[in-house]
Each structure stands twice: as C-alpha cells, then as structure tokens.
Amino acid sequence: MPDEPLAFTLRALVPADRDWVRAWMVEHWGSERMAVHGQLFCMDEFPGLAAELDGQVVGLATYRLLGDACELMSLDSRIERRGIGGALVAAVRALAVQAGCRRLRLTTTNDNLNALRFYQKRGFRLIGLHPGAVNAARRTLKPEIPLLGENGISIRDEIELEEAF
C-alpha cells in the first residue's frame, strides 16, 4: 500500500533547466543521451515537467509530440510510491490531450519490471516488442548501456506501451 501522497507541485521545464536536467539524466539513467527506436536523443532538449517539494526537484518527466501521439521519453521520481510519478504521467496526458493527441506512448526495456507494473496499473497496454533492439543500440549508438539491469536481468529488448484516449 502506498504511503500518504506528498504536497509537491508540478511546473513546466524552462530553458534555464537544461543543466540540471542533463545532470538528472546522468544520475538516473547513466547518461544525458537515451537510445530508443534506433536513435540517440539528448534528453535535455525535450519539453517536460518537474515535480518540486520544498524547493527541490523530486521528479521529472520529458516528452515529445508526434502527430496524434505523445511519447513519454523519461519518467523519474526521487521518492517512490508517493504520487509523484502518477501525477507526472497524468499531467503529460493532459498536455497531450490539449495538443490534440489521441494516445500516450512510451518505450521501456525488458528488465524494467517496475516500469511495466507502474504503467499497466495506469491503463497502458503492451503494443510492441522489439527483440534485440537494446543490443543493437549498444553496438551502434550507445556502448555504455549496461548489459545487466534490474534484478540481474539482461537488457536486450525494447517494449512499447500505449494508452489511447
């Protein structure tokens, strides 16, 4: 059972946030660059939302708009099970709807069992499996992707999830 929700606030990222977003991504993802869909992205270049508590950033979501879809590029929270991640997803969903999108998409890796649980509990459905996509990205785009992820599971595949609205 989750703990009591925190009294955090959400705000849109502004250009002055780029440095800390870059540092956040290095801390949480090991690099400011993310390999997904066979491409390499600099995460500080995307629009996003920050969750703040007592003047400190405790959560971050980045996204991009692609026609009738919004792709959630990253989602992180320093404090788990307190409503930050869910609030960030809901806020990105609201921005997507406002922009005329009909679905919210994201990609995770086969080892990320916490993400698979989190998103499915919020109505996302599995829509795609790309076997070996992470292995290919490690070879051609981002050699620093670790071989092992959460729970000692080999990181090999990309899994796409989507919520239609």
Side-chain angles (χ1 to χ4, degrees), residues 81-126:
R81 299 183 53 87
R82 299 295 295 274
I84 296 167
L88 285 165
V89 170
V92 170
R93 181 186 305 113
L95 290 167
V97 168
Q98 184 178 25
C101 295
R102 297 174 25 168
R103 54 203 167 114
L104 181 57
R105 303 184 74 166
L106 64 102
T107 301
T108 191
T109 52
N110 63 283
D111 69 302
N112 198 342
L113 304 179
N114 286 335
L116 291 166
R117 174 190 45 78
F118 175 86
Y119 291 115
Q120 289 181 84
K121 283 177 70 173
R122 283 156 181 81
F124 285 79
R125 296 181 57 128
L126 301 172

Side-chain angles (χ1 to χ4, degrees), residues 9 22 24 33 36 44 80 83 85 88 90 106 119 123 150:
T9 58
R22 198 174 306 117
W24 175 284
R33 300 173 309 141
V36 65
D44 62 327
E80 292 188 8
L88 285 165
L106 64 102
Y119 291 115
E150 294 181 14

